[in-house]
Amino acid sequence: MSSVVLVGNPNVGKSALFRALTGTYVTVSNYPGTTVEVTRGEATIARRRTEVLDTPGATSFLPTSEDERVTRDILLSGEPRAAVVVGDAKNLERTLALALQLSEMQVPFVLCLNMMDEAAASGIELDLAGLSRHFGVDVVATVAVRHEGTTRLREALARPSAGVAPVRYAEPIERAVAAIEPLLGTSPIASRALALMALSRDEALTEWLRGRLDEQSLATVETVRLDLERVFHEPVAYVINAARLAEARRLARAAMLSNGHGLERAATRRLEELATHPLWGWPILLAVLYAAYLFVGVLGAQTLVGLLEDDLFGGIISPLATKLAERLLPWALLRDLFVGPYGLITMALAYSLALVLPIVGTFFVAFGALEDSGYLPRLAVMVNRVFKTMGLNGKAVLPMVLGLGCDTMATLTTRILETPKERLIVILLLALGVPCSAQLTVMMAMLAGLGPAAAAIWMAVVVGVILLVGRLAALVLPGRGSDFVLELPPLRMPRAGNILMKTLARIEWYLKEAVPLFVLGTLLLFVADRLQVLSAIERAAQPILSGLLGLPRETAEAFVIGFLRRDFGAAGLYRLAREGRLDPIQVVVAVTTVTLFMPCVANFFMIVKERGWRTGLAIAGFVFPFAVLVGALLNVALRRFPGLLL
């Protein structure tokens, strides 16, 4: 079966276009040898079933992350017979830079300019025919979320063309390309493009070439590249990319019949400037975070949780289940399994559906809005200076923000970072101090009743620990950091349809992946309680809980189950706090300790998958005693200075 690959920058509607072409029957699998997921589906093109691949977002085919490497490797493999360059019609320059690279590769492609409705609303008008003539390929306008233009795209894919718009580089580079092209032989892409990649010191490509070239040819390529660096006094990749971007900028300006400089677009551009301003960007960031807190922390954690936990489960489902169990189940053990203190209905379902789901759901909505608006990359720009102290850059904030949704999934996204050292530091910080959405909002609900001082102490300790551990890890771990280069998509009003689709997909993941773990955790607690194991653990943990942390022994079950689900552990502490069994100091100490506690079992196995058993065990072995140490020091400080909570 022939295949078509979708390529494009992040946040250009590529996944929406994929769904419009393929429908809902898709498969997701890791690209061989990596942890990067590639989505595959089928579409009817020229009356034939054609496989369609949706690749990770890429800003260049000279990869700086594992995501980009996979996209480039798919093209290099010769697997697709054609490509679709998907771009945001409002940000033409970034799209044309990718189209120029595909033209150099001589991969047949169609240029798809998506989000044309937003471009029209901004007063932008493009010369699509002129672009088509220049590149020698079909240029199709689409609105993927409404399936507009997809029929025209299918027709164009029936006869894709290789581009005819090569970039003219500086004379030394052209001479170098001519010198090494004959050494490269045949490949699925043009030898000119392969030569430019080799001159750019693409390490992944060097490994690919090593199996195809002899040592003398590889040495010649390296000698030519070093000669070029002496000519330009900077990496050759910078010179090549600068030439491509200059050509893309020229083509974008020529294609812009109307640049959309109306009042609406001018206001949007002004807001884009303010969102990354060194001074005014911070009030905007705080306003965004406060709005998210009101939506998730107040609407989700208080209003919706109250309706579901107190009114639905507490008032209807649990009492009804208890009555039915008493009537239908004659054995006390079986009744307790379903409606007892560790019952599948009264605990597992009540926690997962009534306490955690409304919090997770509202968080997913808020996060989807931030994603769709284009604000998340601007958040990375604002925190770049802070992250530099930890040997990272602002791009690291993206997996850490995703960690507020789920640390397990966020660990996967660390592959967007460019160096192994950066990825390891962020994985460590995710396991240590980034609470998932359900855990975070449950803990915020606990702290809300104590006043702003308690939340401020908790936040100061957690942020301080992240900065301290990140800084020490940057000093101790071998390796290097990377430069901060990040494309900023335009700000736009989030689309309700996009947010709804993303939220439903994430809630489906929660129901399939997280709820069964709640059930499993409840079963383990039930068995542990019946076998007196839980009381034995409580007794063993008492010197730590009561002596060092100043917590009651009942909190042991929350910390034990926290390894299965960190949010489940937080929910157990929340129940104890609501029952008045924790004083204010104990609440702050417990919340801080469980925030820094061991990664949940799902996150632990994801770390093992990404970095191996040795690293996974080392992270867990560090995090557990370190969390107890921080909690113990905080307990001593608050007992000595109780006025801090006033």
Side-chain angles (χ1 to χ4, degrees):
M1 182 187 297
S2 60
S3 63
V4 171
V5 59
L6 305 184
V7 299
N9 301 129
N11 302 307
V12 296
K14 187 159 50 62
S15 296
L17 184 67
F18 175 81
R19 288 192 295 269
L21 290 173
T22 62
T24 57
Y25 298 101
V26 301
T27 59
V28 180
S29 60
N30 287 354
Y31 191 73
T34 74
T35 58
V36 179
E37 291 182 343
V38 176
T39 307
R40 298 173 184 264
E42 290 185 5
T44 301
I45 297 175
R47 299 181 180 179
R48 292 196 306 247
R49 298 304 294 170
T50 301
E51 185 179 48
V52 181
L53 285 73
D54 184 17
T55 61
T59 58
S60 171
F61 297 132
L62 179 63
T64 58
S65 68
E66 194 175 10
D67 278 3
E68 291 184 338
R69 177 186 171 184
V70 164
T71 301
R72 196 280 313 277
D73 285 353
I74 289 174
L75 295 171
L76 200 59
S77 70
E79 178 182 0
R81 69 170 182 85
V84 180
V85 180
V86 186
D88 182 352
K90 304 187 302 300
N91 200 346
L92 193 59
E93 185 179 314
R94 296 191 307 155
T95 303
L96 296 186
L98 283 181
L100 287 170
Q101 292 178 73
L102 274 183
S103 291
E104 290 174 341
M105 292 179 182
Q106 288 294 285
V107 174
F109 73 97
V110 174
L111 179 56
C112 172
L113 298 181
N114 194 30
M115 305 180 184
M116 286 298 293
D117 55 337
E118 296 182 8
S122 299
I124 295 174
E125 185 179 355
L126 301 175
D127 181 9
L128 302 185
L131 283 174
S132 180
R133 286 192 299 272
H134 184 85
F135 279 95
V137 302
D138 285 326
V139 179
V140 179
T142 61
V143 181
V145 293
R146 297 205 295 261
H147 292 211
E148 294 179 9
T150 54
T151 301
R152 173 77 179 87
L153 178 60
R154 293 173 193 269
E155 294 171 353
L157 282 172
R159 51 180 191 284
S161 304
V164 291
V167 179
R168 184 67 185 176
Y169 297 98
E171 192 58 35
I173 291 179
E174 293 291 350
R175 287 198 302 269
V177 168
I180 68 174
E181 265 191 280
L183 304 176
L184 299 176
T186 59
S187 72
I189 66 174
S191 58
R192 175 181 173 84
L194 205 58
L196 288 166
M197 291 179 184
L199 292 173
S200 299
R201 199 179 184 181
D202 180 347
E203 295 178 2
L205 180 69
T206 301
E207 292 300 316
W208 186 83
L209 289 173
R210 201 177 299 279
R212 291 163 174 80
L213 304 182
D214 56 39
E215 289 299 324
Q216 183 177 353
S217 298
L218 286 171
T220 301
V221 172
E222 182 65 10
T223 300
V224 172
R225 187 190 63 77
L226 291 174
D227 289 342
L228 280 179
E229 289 195 355
R230 282 191 285 269
V231 170
F232 292 108
H233 304 291
E234 62 180 340
V236 181
Y238 292 176
V239 182
I240 292 174
N241 280 334
R244 284 183 185 140
L245 290 173
E247 177 67 6
R249 189 175 300 115
R250 184 188 70 78
L251 293 174
R253 288 173 179 170
M256 196 78 68
L257 300 177
S258 174
N259 59 17
H261 285 163
L263 290 177
E264 179 183 346
R265 183 57 188 155
T268 302
R269 288 189 175 182
R270 181 58 178 159
L271 182 58
E272 289 172 354
E273 294 172 0
L274 291 175
T276 55
H277 191 276
L279 176 61
W280 300 112
W282 290 106
I284 293 175
L285 172 60
L286 292 175
V288 169
L289 294 179
Y290 183 65
Y293 167 74
L294 291 178
F295 185 72
V296 180
V298 177
L299 175 63
Q302 296 180 27
T303 305
L304 295 181
V305 166
L307 289 173
L308 292 177
E309 185 181 34
D310 297 334
D311 299 341
L312 181 60
F313 266 83
I316 300 175
I317 295 178
S318 293
L320 179 60
T322 301
K323 290 181 180 179
L324 289 175
E326 291 174 349
R327 181 175 302 176
L328 300 176
L329 301 176
W331 301 283
L333 181 66
L334 200 56
R335 286 198 301 270
D336 287 346
L337 176 62
F338 287 97
V339 296
Y342 302 109
L344 297 179
I345 296 174
T346 52
M347 187 177 198
L349 295 184
Y351 274 30
S352 60
L353 300 182
L355 178 59
V356 178
L357 180 59
I359 300 172
V360 169
T362 49
F363 176 84
F364 287 158
V365 171
F367 189 77
L370 289 177
E371 276 185 314
D372 211 46
S373 69
Y375 182 73
L376 281 183
R378 288 167 172 81
L379 174 62
V381 172
M382 291 305 301
V383 301
N384 180 53
R385 185 171 299 176
V386 176
F387 275 66
K388 278 185 177 180
T389 64
M390 298 183 288
L392 303 169
N393 60 50
K395 196 182 292 188
V397 78
L398 299 178
M400 294 189 75
V401 170
L402 286 172
L404 296 174
C406 174
D407 285 328
T408 305
M409 295 298 102
T411 299
L412 271 178
T413 65
T414 57
R415 58 177 179 253
I416 70 170
L417 304 177
E418 297 176 20
T419 67
K421 178 178 180 178
E422 290 174 322
R423 291 193 284 270
L424 181 55
I425 292 175
V426 174
I427 287 173
L428 170 61
L429 297 181
L430 283 169
L432 174 65
V434 180
C436 63
S437 58
Q439 181 190 19
L440 174 64
T441 45
V442 170
M443 294 186 306
M444 291 302 293
M446 292 174 64
L447 294 170
L450 304 181
I457 291 172
W458 167 77
M459 183 173 294
V461 172
V462 172
V463 172
V465 163
I466 289 176
L467 293 175
L468 174 63
V469 173
R471 179 61 178 165
L472 292 176
L475 295 175
V476 172
L477 294 176
R480 60 177 182 85
S482 63
D483 297 327
F484 181 48
V485 179
L486 186 66
E487 292 283 349
L488 294 180
L491 286 178
R492 56 178 175 264
M493 185 64 67
R495 286 181 172 272
N498 287 353
I499 297 172
L500 179 61
M501 284 190 293
K502 292 177 181 178
T503 301
L504 290 177
R506 287 165 176 160
I507 288 179
E508 181 184 9
W509 166 84
Y510 172 80
L511 294 176
K512 288 181 177 179
E513 301 293 333
V515 172
L517 285 175
F518 274 91
V519 174
L520 174 62
T522 301
L523 284 173
L524 291 177
L525 276 179
F526 177 80
V527 173
D529 180 60
R530 291 290 166 169
L531 297 178
Q532 304 298 314
V533 173
L534 192 58
S535 58
I537 293 176
E538 290 176 357
R539 288 193 299 271
Q542 189 168 0
I544 296 176
L545 293 174
S546 303
L548 294 177
L549 302 179
L551 300 176
R553 59 183 295 178
E554 292 85 357
T555 57
E557 69 177 62
F559 285 98
V560 171
I561 204 64
F563 178 62
L564 294 173
R565 287 289 302 180
R566 293 175 76 173
D567 44 2
F568 207 3
L573 294 175
Y574 181 62
R575 176 174 57 83
L576 292 175
R578 289 187 66 179
E579 294 172 356
R581 296 160 74 179
L582 299 176
D583 63 34
I585 291 178
Q586 290 173 328
V587 168
V588 175
V589 171
V591 165
T592 303
T593 306
V594 82
T595 301
L596 303 175
F597 197 56
M598 287 180 65
C600 69
V601 65
N603 189 20
F604 173 76
F605 282 119
M606 184 60 69
I607 294 172
V608 170
K609 180 182 177 183
E610 291 285 298
R611 307 292 303 187
W613 280 99
R614 184 176 178 180
T615 300
L617 292 172
I619 288 177
F622 166 75
V623 168
F624 175 65
F626 186 79
V628 173
L629 174 63
V630 173
L633 293 175
L634 181 61
N635 178 52
V636 171
L638 292 179
R639 297 287 173 190
R640 181 165 296 183
F641 305 103
L644 292 173
L645 289 177
L646 298 179

